[in-house]
Amino acid sequence: MADALLGPAEIRELAARLGVAPTKKLGQNFVHDPNTVRRIVAAAGLTGDDVVLEVGPGLGSLTLGLLGVAAHVHAVELDPTLAAALPATVAERADAAKLTVHHADALRIKGSVLTPAPTMLVANLPYNVAVPVVLHLLAELPTLRGGLVMVQKEVADRLVAGPGSKVYGVPSVKLAWYAAARAAGRVPPAVFWPVPNVDSGLVAFACREAPAEVDRRVVFQVVDAAFAQRRKTLRAALAGWAGGADLAEKVLVAAGVSPQARGESLTVEQFAAIAAAAIAAGYGGKLSASGRRHEEVDS
């Protein structure tokens, strides 16, 4: 695999040939360090049977590393120039038959177009869409057994945070609905082109069954409401969602949660219990009627 990977010179040459300049709009920071690619692939814990979904393959650095291990790689790329060029780049260095390139927006892609079905998500994700992309794909792809994503360190910290942490919030709880997550290491800026002004972090996650048999949309509404006003008690924070502070208190008490607690102290199971209590009290239809895609909320 070592000879197949792209180094700094190859990345610059390929970009120049394609007339590609990394853009902030698409959050493009290309990995040009083969050792970092090897580290990501190793940390992902892939097997020879895995079908990997990679979001934002760019010039193909990580793609080539993944193809050296996985049975198949789906590469979802929004940039039309990069999407068109990737098959030729791979054909020069790896088995192109194991690659399917999708020129698409990862926030809108459907599982039905990904055949064979992905079992792992491994990607270098830009800050502005990292959380929405991960949550959308987890909702869309029940075949995933886990994944490893590289995001800005601040985002990584939020994704793996537990109750009581200062950075525990909406992304932490929503990811916990789908999977158990852990920090898998720090990545320095120097391995990217262009060099970002922040460190990146690796987040590994293992998918699991939902913590409760309750409508996820309602659970995520509770989460959004609880963290919209972090310093307020749940009785106050959920008042608008429940239809009044007194109604919120009744739901909280029925769920076994103190009305004086704050959202940052609750586990995903407790948020699910609140949603279940609300549905049991007859609020379910009203509370889940919103068409908003809560799994894509980032804050």
Side-chain angles (χ1 to χ4, degrees):
M1 186 172 76
D3 294 336
L5 299 182
L6 300 172
E10 290 86 359
I11 288 289
R12 296 297 185 108
E13 187 277 330
L14 182 56
R17 179 160 28 110
L18 296 174
V20 169
T23 69
K24 288 186 177 180
K25 180 180 178 181
L26 295 179
Q28 292 172 328
N29 295 93
F30 302 131
V31 179
H32 62 59
D33 176 54
N35 285 331
T36 298
V37 170
R38 295 186 191 100
R39 179 184 168 199
I40 293 169
V41 173
L46 302 175
T47 74
D49 296 326
D50 274 317
V51 176
V52 176
L53 174 59
E54 182 190 8
V55 175
L59 294 166
S61 304
L62 180 56
T63 312
L64 290 166
L66 296 170
L67 287 167
V69 178
H72 196 85
V73 174
H74 290 286
V76 178
E77 176 56 63
L78 184 60
D79 186 307
T81 301
L82 295 176
L86 187 58
T89 301
V90 168
E92 294 175 0
R93 299 169 175 83
D95 183 359
K98 295 169 60 178
L99 173 71
T100 304
V101 178
H102 304 266
H103 174 215
D105 184 344
L107 281 170
R108 292 174 173 80
I109 200 160
K110 299 295 183 182
S112 58
V113 306
L114 301 172
T115 304
T119 60
M120 291 289 284
L121 170 64
V122 184
N124 169 26
L125 298 173
Y127 174 80
N128 59 334
V129 296
V131 173
V133 163
V134 169
L135 295 176
H136 168 68
L137 293 174
L138 284 168
E140 185 67 27
L141 299 171
T143 56
L144 289 176
R145 69 174 181 87
L148 183 125
V149 293
M150 180 162 59
V151 296
Q152 287 196 13
K153 185 65 168 54
E154 174 192 343
V155 179
D157 291 343
R158 291 168 68 196
L159 285 171
V160 304
S165 166
K166 291 182 179 179
V167 294
Y168 182 69
V170 172
S172 323
V173 183
K174 291 185 178 179
L175 179 55
W177 174 265
Y178 298 103
R182 62 177 176 83
R186 184 185 293 260
V187 180
V191 305
F192 298 96
W193 174 65
V195 178
N197 58 10
V198 295
D199 283 358
S200 295
L202 299 176
V203 175
F205 60 89
C207 295
R208 62 187 180 193
E209 292 293 323
E213 293 185 5
V214 60
D215 190 332
R216 183 188 73 234
R217 295 171 298 174
V218 182
V219 178
F220 283 9
Q221 287 178 13
V222 177
V223 174
D224 289 336
F227 286 101
Q229 304 174 78
R230 290 182 69 100
R231 295 185 180 182
K232 289 193 174 183
T233 65
L234 286 170
R235 184 184 190 276
L238 299 184
W241 164 81
D246 289 343
L247 293 175
E249 181 166 346
K250 289 180 181 179
V251 169
L252 289 163
V253 171
V257 176
S258 169
Q260 300 307 309
R262 289 172 170 76
E264 51 265 40
S265 69
L266 268 58
T267 64
V268 65
E269 289 83 5
Q270 289 174 300
F271 280 111
I274 296 169
I279 294 171
Y283 299 123
K286 179 182 70 173
L287 297 176
S288 62
S290 169
R292 188 181 180 197
R293 299 190 57 173
H294 293 276
E295 61 267 32
E296 294 183 3
V297 175
D298 175 17
S299 57

